[in-house]
Amino acid sequence: MGGEQPLDRPGWLELAREDVRTALQRDPAATSVAVVALSYPGVHALWQHRWASWLWKRGRRTTARLLSQAARRRTGIEIHPAAVIGRRCFIDHGMGVVIGETAVVGDDVLLYHGVTLGGTSLRPGKRHPTVGDRVVIGAGAKVLGPVTIGNDARIGANSVVTKDIAAGATVTGVPADPRGPYRTQRIGVPHLPVPGAIHVRDEPNGLRWPTRLP
């Protein structure tokens, strides 16, 4: 996953330029390089996170935490210095985004405002999500625990995810359920209905409709 590679290679200036280009490509409201560089909180949060992460890796953890909290006050976005963020990540609007200590975010990820990559345990160790490349997480969505979100997955606004999501899947709801072809569930014994399982009903016109069994 792209998010696991070091963030100080290539150089910070080149990464900063890449961040601006990404915002211009992904936000139709972005009108110029100057507007993005001077006023986009999601871009500023990523820039300050790189400094905080650099300090954290070199043992200056108090300074790193202070820098991350200063970024939080300025941008409304809280990223723990130990979190790993890949390249070309874009945080749109950004207010209320929280990314926890052991979270890993891949390349080309799009996060909307109010997204939480949080934990569900107070024990040390891996307790935050791992998000693959090219994932889109909608406004207000909560991804909780050490779950894995596969490449190209999409999570709908205000969804709550507490289980792994397959690559390419689209999930919505509380708790989040797959939509489209990922909504089918294999039943171990043929022709034996399982309460709550997802069943695909074949219609005479060739369409296939997923339904939840009672």
Side-chain angles (χ1 to χ4, degrees), residues 43 93 136 181 189:
V43 173
H93 299 291
V136 177
V189 181

Side-chain angles (χ1 to χ4, degrees), residues 50-195:
R50 291 197 182 107
W51 281 106
S53 178
W54 186 87
L55 291 166
W56 184 270
K57 292 174 183 177
R58 285 153 182 80
R60 300 174 64 180
R61 297 193 169 187
T62 299
T63 306
R65 288 304 303 269
L66 291 174
L67 180 57
S68 71
Q69 290 303 301
R72 175 180 179 267
R73 288 192 296 271
R74 181 181 177 189
T75 66
I77 298 167
E78 181 172 350
I79 308 176
H80 193 284
V84 178
I85 311 293
R87 296 177 62 177
R88 297 175 301 278
C89 177
F90 180 49
I91 303 174
D92 197 6
H93 299 291
M95 181 62 69
V97 168
V98 177
I99 301 177
E101 178 185 10
T102 62
V104 177
V105 178
D107 294 337
D108 302 296
V109 170
L110 174 58
L111 305 177
Y112 286 93
H113 55 281
V115 165
T116 298
L117 305 181
T120 57
S121 171
L122 299 179
R123 291 176 294 183
K126 175 66 172 172
R127 59 190 187 280
H128 297 95
T130 296
V131 178
D133 298 336
R134 299 173 301 279
V135 172
V136 177
I137 305 181
K142 315 301 178 188
V143 186
L144 305 175
V147 298
T148 298
I149 310 301
N151 294 341
D152 302 293
R154 300 173 68 88
I155 298 172
N158 295 316
S159 298
V160 177
V161 177
T162 57
K163 297 180 181 179
D164 292 352
I165 303 299
T170 297
V171 299
T172 62
V174 182
D177 278 333
R179 296 293 183 261
Y182 296 90
R183 208 170 152 76
T184 59
Q185 174 176 323
R186 295 182 181 274
I187 298 176
V189 181
H191 312 300
L192 181 62
V194 176

Side-chain angles (χ1 to χ4, degrees), residues 34-46:
V35 167
V36 172
L38 296 175
S39 68
Y40 270 50
V43 173
H44 295 169
L46 290 174

Side-chain angles (χ1 to χ4, degrees), residues 2-25:
E4 295 174 354
Q5 62 191 17
L7 295 182
D8 54 355
R9 298 186 181 89
W12 287 9
L13 182 58
E14 182 178 345
L15 287 172
R17 290 171 175 162
E18 186 175 71
D19 294 331
V20 172
R21 288 196 300 269
T22 299
L24 288 168
Q25 292 167 359

